[in-house]
Every structure is written in C-alpha cells, then in structure tokens.
Amino acid sequence: MSATRQAAEPDHSLRVDDPVRRGALDDYIAFHLQIAQNASFKAFKRHAAQADLRPGHFALLSLINDNPGVTPLALSRAAGRDKSTLTPVLRDLDRAMLIRRCPSTADRRSHGLHLTDKGSEKLAHLAECAARHDRELDAIVGAGKPALLDMLRRLIAALD
C-alpha cells in the first residue's frame, strides 16, 4: 500500500479508554472461563502480596503436601496441567528451595516430590491468602457455589 493511500485512510484506532467490542467471544464459555481465571489469579496475587507468585504455585504446593512423594506425572494429572508446562514451574519451586526431589522407590525412572520446611511455610502463607480469596469468591457467587463447582467439575470431566 502506498504512503499516499495510508495517509488518506481515516484513523479508526480506539483510544485507551474506548470499550473494546468482544463480538462472538462474548458468547464463548471458554473465553469467560479464561477471563475469570485471570481475574481470580490477579486478586489472589494481591492477597499474597507477592509479585513473583506464578499461577499454580499454591495448587502444586498443596498437592505435593497432601501427596508426599507424588511423581511429576501424577502431579500433572491431578493439577490438570500438561507435563511440559509443569516442568518449568517445578524447576522454579526447586530453585526457590520449596520442594525437593527424592528417588522414587516405585519407579526408578522418576522421582518423588516433597515439600521442604521453607515450602511448608510458603504453603501455610498461601493457604491463608487462598482462604481469604475464596471467601471473596463465595460472597460473589453466594448460594450458587455448589452448582458452579458442579458445572466446573462436569466441564473438566467431559473435556479432559
């Protein structure tokens, strides 16, 4: 396109404060699930007051705590994450000395994951933050919480 033609076309750019139309996305459940998850994570991060907190840290630490010696493969299934996306997060948790890897007695090709003392302390802090955050979510969904959880569990079971 020539520079003359570009200059002649009106600028239809949105200003920063202009609303963005969502079009067909407004009717997609998956889109709203993603937006809700992002909003929920931002709120949880504010509760935790940790800029370096990454999505899934609390869930992974909690699952490891409740299942000492869990393998990365079993953890990825329980967390609903692909193993390839789980590996870098486990590496981060290991570098932060929140977890330790021990040789698996059941499978020599794998290792079991355990929380360190530092990991247990971090989990306790995040659990308090998660409880406060969940109370906020409870206030938003009210008496509909059991139905919402049921719908989400049905989605997970049907799609996984």
Side-chain angles (χ1 to χ4, degrees):
M1 191 177 296
S2 71
T4 309
R5 181 170 163 94
Q6 285 179 342
E9 291 181 13
D11 181 9
H12 295 291
S13 300
L14 293 175
R15 288 185 277 284
V16 174
D17 56 347
D18 286 345
V20 175
R21 290 183 303 275
R22 292 181 173 165
L25 289 176
D26 219 17
D27 292 325
Y28 287 125
I29 293 170
F31 176 75
H32 289 282
L33 286 172
Q34 179 185 16
I35 299 298
Q37 179 185 19
N38 290 341
S40 178
F41 180 69
K42 285 181 200 173
F44 179 72
K45 202 170 173 177
R46 284 192 302 272
H47 280 291
Q50 289 183 254
D52 64 340
L53 184 63
R54 294 195 44 204
H57 278 193
F58 168 66
L60 294 176
L61 291 173
S62 185
L63 287 166
I64 294 168
N65 181 67
D66 293 341
N67 301 278
V70 66
T71 64
L73 181 59
L75 184 63
S76 71
R77 288 179 183 150
R81 295 180 71 147
D82 185 77
K83 192 169 180 303
S84 65
T85 66
L86 181 70
T87 301
V89 179
L90 290 177
R91 194 176 320 119
D92 292 345
L93 294 174
D94 192 27
R95 285 184 186 145
M97 295 188 286
L98 301 175
I99 63 169
R100 61 179 159 57
R101 301 166 194 251
C102 299
S104 173
T105 55
D107 182 357
R108 291 183 188 174
R109 297 169 294 165
S110 190
H111 53 271
L113 302 169
H114 300 268
L115 291 186
T116 62
D117 289 342
K118 185 178 176 183
S120 294
E121 290 171 15
K122 174 73 107 184
L123 176 58
H125 168 69
L126 292 177
E128 290 174 15
C129 297
R132 282 196 306 274
H133 178 56
D134 213 50
R135 285 192 295 273
E136 281 182 355
L137 294 174
D138 286 347
I140 294 167
V141 299
K145 181 178 182 175
L148 175 61
L149 289 174
D150 181 58
M151 279 190 274
L152 292 171
R153 288 179 183 124
R154 285 187 293 144
L155 280 170
I156 294 163
L159 297 174
D160 200 17

